[in-house]
Amino acid sequence: MARMRSPCAMPATAYRRAYDHRMRDLVCEERAPGLFRDLGVPRSTAASWIRRGPRPVVSADILAMDGAELQAEVLALRRRIRFLLAVIRLAFLLVRLSGFRLDSHRVPDGQTKRSILAAIVSAQNAIPLAVALRVLRLAPARFHAWRSLADNCTRDDRERSCKRRRG
């Protein structure tokens, strides 16, 4: 029979406290486990900080920049964006003029399909899947069919040559 706990009882599991990294660094530097005892840092915790040493701290270097450096970085990023947009516009123009469309051409080569799928997965870090498929003019149904068959078949022309597996 399970014991019932009263609503006021303390939880059975202990909780972990988080401390500012600067406190830890100072305790390690001074090698004084009682340094922040008045702030509620247990001596055992401070002793483990000293034993383990300071941790590397990851912070945004942008916070250390002054106004002039930030403005210079913004201008450089704007130039890069203009450059990349120009390259993208030229690539779109080239694709449109060539008349190539994934929704009206078969892609029988398995390696080509794999590279298209990899490019779409990579693009999903920056844009939604629907936008990537629209840019490539690839029907969502075809994309999902390729993706579902990617692991099930090793032949190049998977759409016609591989039998579907039943789950």
Side-chain angles (χ1 to χ4, degrees):
M1 185 185 258
R3 287 178 54 186
M4 302 262 312
R5 289 189 188 172
S6 70
C8 298
M10 293 292 291
T13 59
Y15 61 93
R16 250 183 116 91
R17 294 188 59 190
Y19 299 97
D20 191 293
H21 67 90
R22 294 169 292 194
M23 289 173 63
R24 181 182 183 131
D25 291 344
L26 193 55
V27 167
C28 290
E29 186 179 318
E30 296 293 324
R31 304 200 56 81
L35 191 61
F36 292 109
R37 194 172 189 135
D38 57 328
L39 295 177
V41 177
R43 185 174 177 78
S44 60
T45 300
S48 71
W49 291 349
I50 294 169
R51 194 172 47 253
R52 293 178 184 165
R55 285 186 179 169
V57 176
V58 178
S59 65
D61 59 344
I62 198 165
L63 297 175
M65 293 179 161
D66 66 356
E69 289 174 322
L70 286 173
Q71 287 177 351
E73 185 164 343
V74 166
L75 291 174
L77 289 172
R78 284 180 180 171
R79 273 194 305 274
R80 184 176 177 125
I81 288 170
R82 280 195 307 270
F83 172 82
L84 292 173
L85 282 173
V87 169
I88 290 169
R89 285 183 186 117
L90 289 172
F92 276 134
L93 178 65
L94 183 63
V95 169
R96 273 195 211 115
L97 291 176
S98 72
F100 182 78
R101 296 173 58 119
L102 285 173
D103 60 356
S104 63
H105 288 83
R106 284 192 70 243
V107 181
D109 180 31
Q111 183 57 39
T112 303
K113 288 178 189 175
R114 284 188 291 275
S115 64
I116 292 171
L117 288 172
I120 292 170
V121 168
S122 175
Q124 281 184 291
N125 293 330
I127 60 174
L129 174 62
V131 173
L133 295 179
R134 201 172 331 125
V135 166
L136 293 176
R137 294 185 174 177
L138 179 63
R142 182 179 275 193
F143 166 75
H144 291 295
W146 286 359
R147 192 173 66 179
S148 67
L149 292 173
D151 296 330
N152 297 337
C153 185
T154 57
R155 295 185 183 170
D156 276 351
D157 191 356
R158 297 178 201 181
E159 289 181 65
R160 304 246 188 239
S161 303
C162 290
K163 294 180 182 178
R164 291 188 178 213
R165 288 187 178 174
R166 295 197 184 259

